[in-house]
Amino acid sequence: MSSDKFNIFSFSGKMKIMHLSWMAFFVSFMVWFNAAPLMGVIALSLGLTNEQIKTLLILNVALTIPARIIIGMVTDKFGPRLTYSALLILCSFPCFMFALGETFEQLALARFLLGFIGAGFVIGIRMVSEWFPAKELGTAEGIYGGWGNFGSAAAAFTLPVIAIAFGGDNGWRYAIGLTGVMSFVFAFIYYFNVSDTPKGSTYFKPKKAGALEVTSKGDLALLILMKLPMYATLALLGWKLSPEGVGMFTQMEVYGIYGILVAVLMLDLYQTYQVNKHIFDGPVPEFERYPFKQVAVLNVLYFSTFGSELAVVSMLPLYFAETFELGLTQAGMLASTYAFMNLVSRPGGGWISDRFGRKPTLMILTAGLALGYLGMAQITSDWALPLAVIMVMTCSFFVQGGEGAVFAAVPLIKRRLTGQIAGMTGAYGNVGAVFFLTVYSMVSTQIFFYVIAASAVLGLVSLLFLTEPKGHIAEVNEDGEVTLISVN
């Protein structure tokens, strides 16, 4: 573990790793959300319908759910340095493909593939956990997550300006292509300036590849149960693309998607059994065990926190425009205050977690989140606009602070599995987003906010089962030596 002091203005040692990692995450989010602020211009340029625009937005998040699981496994096996660099290079190509697209089908395929870059977040969680001691980990992960997440807001502010600067019908192509160039170039900057661990530290890898390891039969049952909502969400996305939804696929094609999902689930369950069948031969040694319930609780909390953030960011500009009769530009600027809070609230949640403990912090922030959305449900056109903005910013502090506190706890469960645990928890954020946006398409905005508040109450109940991390994580290297990693 790097011993130099935590100085946010430093660019050496562990601080350099943290800064370069949030920059990689920032670039990945700029690429992931590069189309959203330009969608109106793209639609005009290529004659897209409203249904096609909605389809592109759905496709943008579809692949991120399995991608976060896969990238978590790859990170644990090959290390974050190689994985982040490779992801940034590979995802620059669908970005260029989107920028050069002439038909809806080309744009749809590029957008679907670009969902993979949304998994970049998971890689940095493992990288930062290797470099910072437990007492600073929440703050470091919060800065990584909060400042990197701001890439989506940066895309919203800068890309329309770049598109106008290039001008003409193809301005949007140059703006989107530029983010692909950034991704490609930063891959090399990252690769040649970071290392997976501080000098002399061991990078612990999973004993078996292909599925998350658990350490008891009960945990295996819980792991299987936690997999099901992810497949159900992908099936829901399939339904949204069916003739009953936006009509991108025929009913037979959608049945084909369902069939593929069932086949992949069966393969996943088989692989999970193969990796964990040793638990049926006898108990795992005490020092090797970890409680999977910790992961399950954090999944539920990230469903409410990041899931609601992605959903609310998508609907808030139009909500402000309709409720307060604003122009879309003004409404977009006001709605961006929700995302702006990421710069301070996510690091803030991590910092509070470092100071006052993981569980108490999560309890307070989740309760605040529930109250925040109950407050947002009360907003009407009778409210003064500044008061509505203050309500939104207050709610977003608890949402993003909660995200920071969740990922302050994730790396303290089992070091060699951090990528996979972060992948599963991160995927649950996307599951939440798809669930909440589906609810939003069916009910009033007020009920939408009430549903998110109810999910936070469920999160509070699940927190009763969370154990405050204490003592040490034991990891065994390839030579059989045991290393104890403090989680206090």
Side-chain angles (χ1 to χ4, degrees):
M1 220 38 102
S2 192
S3 60
D4 45 327
K5 283 168 66 176
F6 195 104
N7 174 9
I8 206 158
F9 301 108
S10 166
F11 203 80
S12 63
K14 64 186 180 186
M15 302 309 293
K16 178 183 175 184
I17 301 296
M18 184 190 75
H19 285 306
L20 285 170
S21 295
W22 76 251
M23 287 174 194
F25 180 31
F26 181 95
V27 170
S28 72
F29 256 47
M30 264 199 98
V31 171
W32 194 20
F33 290 103
N34 59 15
L38 301 167
M39 207 49 101
V41 190
I42 295 168
L44 278 176
S45 170
L46 297 176
L48 302 181
T49 66
N50 261 345
E51 292 304 306
Q52 288 174 327
I53 291 168
K54 282 182 189 170
T55 303
L56 290 177
L57 293 173
I58 293 167
L59 288 172
N60 201 39
V61 297
L63 201 59
T64 312
I65 295 170
R68 286 188 162 183
I69 303 293
I70 295 161
I71 290 294
M73 290 182 192
V74 173
T75 302
D76 285 342
K77 186 166 177 58
F78 296 103
R81 174 184 177 230
L82 180 63
T83 308
Y84 229 147
S85 305
L87 185 75
L88 290 170
I89 288 172
L90 289 172
C91 287
S92 68
F93 293 105
C95 189
F96 298 139
M97 184 178 154
F98 189 89
L100 297 169
E102 293 290 346
T103 66
F104 168 69
E105 286 71 25
Q106 289 169 348
L107 295 183
L109 178 60
R111 226 52 250 175
F112 179 67
L113 294 173
L114 272 171
F116 225 90
I117 204 165
F121 165 69
V122 170
I123 309 168
I125 292 293
R126 174 83 200 243
M127 177 64 100
V128 172
S129 75
E130 293 290 336
W131 281 83
F132 286 83
K135 68 177 187 293
E136 297 172 348
L137 194 55
T139 311
E141 297 282 20
I143 291 169
Y144 164 72
W147 293 10
N149 217 341
F150 197 67
S152 58
F157 278 98
T158 59
L159 296 186
V161 177
I162 293 166
I164 290 165
F166 278 105
D169 287 344
N170 290 325
W172 67 269
R173 297 183 187 277
Y174 289 107
I176 282 177
L178 188 63
T179 62
V181 172
M182 283 171 62
S183 185
F184 190 87
V185 170
F186 199 81
F188 292 94
I189 293 171
Y190 195 74
Y191 186 81
F192 290 110
N193 284 283
V194 302
S195 58
D196 288 333
T197 61
K199 205 171 180 180
S201 294
T202 305
Y203 187 81
F204 295 103
K205 298 181 180 183
K207 293 177 178 175
K208 296 177 183 174
L212 184 63
E213 296 169 39
V214 290
T215 51
S216 75
K217 292 172 196 165
D219 283 354
L220 181 59
L222 186 54
L223 171 60
I224 290 167
L225 186 65
M226 295 307 289
K227 283 179 182 288
L228 300 180
M230 293 189 281
Y231 285 92
T233 304
L234 292 170
L236 180 62
L237 285 169
W239 173 79
K240 287 195 82 153
L241 299 173
S242 75
E244 292 175 46
V246 296
M248 183 180 172
F249 296 134
T250 66
Q251 197 59 53
M252 284 309 295
E253 286 169 335
V254 174
Y255 287 144
I257 291 170
Y258 294 157
I260 291 167
L261 285 173
V262 170
V264 174
L265 173 60
M266 292 300 123
L267 183 65
D268 187 3
L269 294 180
Y270 173 75
Q271 192 65 30
T272 302
Y273 169 73
Q274 287 298 109
V275 166
N276 291 295
K277 62 184 179 184
H278 64 278
I279 61 176
F280 294 98
D281 300 332
V284 174
E286 187 66 43
F287 75 92
E288 281 270 38
R289 289 185 204 171
Y290 79 95
F292 181 76
K293 66 171 186 175
Q294 302 283 84
V295 182
V297 171
L298 296 173
N299 290 351
V300 171
L301 294 172
Y302 211 60
F303 176 95
S304 291
T305 53
F306 190 64
S308 71
E309 180 181 352
L310 276 184
V312 170
V313 164
S314 303
M315 55 71 70
L316 209 52
L318 192 62
Y319 173 64
F320 264 127
E322 288 175 350
T323 307
F324 296 102
E325 296 177 358
L326 305 171
L328 272 179
T329 309
Q330 193 186 359
M333 293 291 281
L334 287 173
S336 70
T337 54
Y338 187 99
F340 247 104
M341 290 295 287
N342 257 314
L343 289 172
V344 290
S345 48
R346 195 158 179 158
W351 181 83
I352 296 165
S353 196
D354 285 342
R355 294 293 173 281
F356 302 106
R358 312 302 178 197
K359 187 171 179 175
T361 302
L362 281 166
M363 281 282 201
I364 292 162
L365 293 174
T366 307
L369 185 153
L371 292 172
Y373 279 116
L374 286 174
M376 282 180 68
Q378 310 313 312
I379 295 173
T380 65
S381 55
D382 297 332
W383 281 43
L385 186 57
L387 190 61
V389 172
I390 289 167
M391 184 75 248
V392 166
M393 290 178 76
T394 304
C395 181
S396 77
F397 171 79
F398 287 104
V399 172
Q400 293 150 6
E403 293 162 13
V406 165
F407 275 94
V410 161
L412 302 178
I413 296 171
K414 195 69 178 163
R415 173 60 60 84
R416 71 171 186 269
L417 305 175
T418 296
Q420 290 175 80
I421 293 169
M424 191 176 201
T425 302
Y428 258 83
N430 285 73
V431 169
V434 174
F435 173 77
F436 293 134
L437 283 172
T438 304
V439 168
Y440 179 64
S441 68
M442 296 173 167
V443 300
S444 70
T445 307
Q446 187 178 41
I447 292 173
F448 164 73
F449 288 136
Y450 281 140
V451 169
I452 300 174
S455 77
V457 173
L458 180 66
L460 271 176
V461 173
S462 75
L463 268 167
L464 299 174
F465 300 95
L466 188 80
T467 308
E468 179 71 28
K470 56 179 182 288
H472 296 83
I473 303 171
E475 292 292 4
V476 184
N477 68 14
E478 289 165 358
D479 300 328
E481 291 175 14
V482 178
T483 301
L484 295 178
I485 302 162
S486 173
V487 296
N488 285 357

